[in-house]
Amino acid sequence: MMMHHLRTAVLQTMESYIRPEADASEKLEMMIRVHLYLSEAMQPLFYFSYMETKNMSKSQRDMVIADSDATEKIIADIVREGTQEGIFKNVSPDMSAGVIKAMLQEWYLKRKKYAKRDVSVDQYADFVQNAAMSFLKK
């Protein structure tokens, strides 16, 4: 139930902030920022869902993995859209999404590391956005 709530909240919030008329770079930047803000606001749930997956039954684990895959799919779809729009280079959308997702997970999994370095969620969001755009944009 908790995992379903988390997934629903994340997906609905991302969908509400990503404007359909925006270009792919704007969508990706917004998706990155919203995901990081949500993981900051709901850090215990994000961390718990990631760390406790190994202790769940196979069916529960499959659901959590599907939730993570849903976020990666959103990113990959935005990368595909950006490639079609001519904004992004022709790179693997799935691998790009995997790397961006890993950077998003880094924030809530290693939160103490960034707190010690006095890195705010805004600074981290800017960094991830810049890293993604420098790799993807033509």
Side-chain angles (χ1 to χ4, degrees):
M1 184 173 77
M2 185 173 67
M3 301 300 182
H4 175 73
H5 171 71
L6 179 63
R7 179 190 73 217
T8 302
V10 168
L11 293 177
Q12 285 178 349
T13 304
M14 280 194 293
E15 288 173 3
S16 71
Y17 279 91
I18 298 173
R19 297 184 345 256
E21 70 277 4
D23 71 24
S25 62
E26 292 172 307
K27 288 178 184 176
L28 184 58
E29 287 177 340
M30 182 57 70
M31 186 273 162
I32 288 168
R33 193 160 294 273
V34 169
H35 191 285
L36 288 169
Y37 287 171
L38 285 170
S39 71
E40 179 72 1
M42 299 164 52
Q43 196 274 338
L45 284 173
F46 272 74
Y47 185 82
F48 174 82
S49 70
Y50 186 90
M51 297 306 284
E52 290 302 313
T53 301
K54 66 186 177 297
N55 298 320
M56 296 177 178
S57 70
K58 181 174 176 358
S59 63
Q60 290 171 323
R61 198 169 39 251
D62 289 346
M63 278 190 346
V64 173
I65 291 169
D67 294 345
S68 179
D69 290 348
T71 306
E72 257 187 68
K73 183 182 179 324
I74 291 169
I75 298 168
D77 288 346
I78 293 170
V79 172
R80 279 185 195 87
E81 181 181 326
T83 302
Q84 291 169 350
E85 291 174 354
I87 296 171
F88 295 157
K89 299 173 201 168
N90 189 16
V91 296
S92 168
D94 295 328
M95 288 197 302
S96 300
V99 169
I100 293 168
K101 177 70 176 185
M103 287 191 290
L104 297 173
Q105 290 172 328
E106 171 86 358
W107 179 252
Y108 59 85
L109 293 177
K110 298 183 180 174
R111 188 66 192 90
K112 287 181 184 179
K113 174 173 81 172
Y114 292 102
K116 283 181 186 178
R117 295 176 181 174
D118 201 28
V119 175
S120 71
V121 67
D122 288 313
Q123 290 170 316
Y124 192 78
D126 290 343
F127 178 84
V128 174
Q129 286 174 328
N130 289 334
M133 290 305 153
S134 67
F135 171 72
L136 291 170
K137 278 200 159 182
K138 284 187 168 184

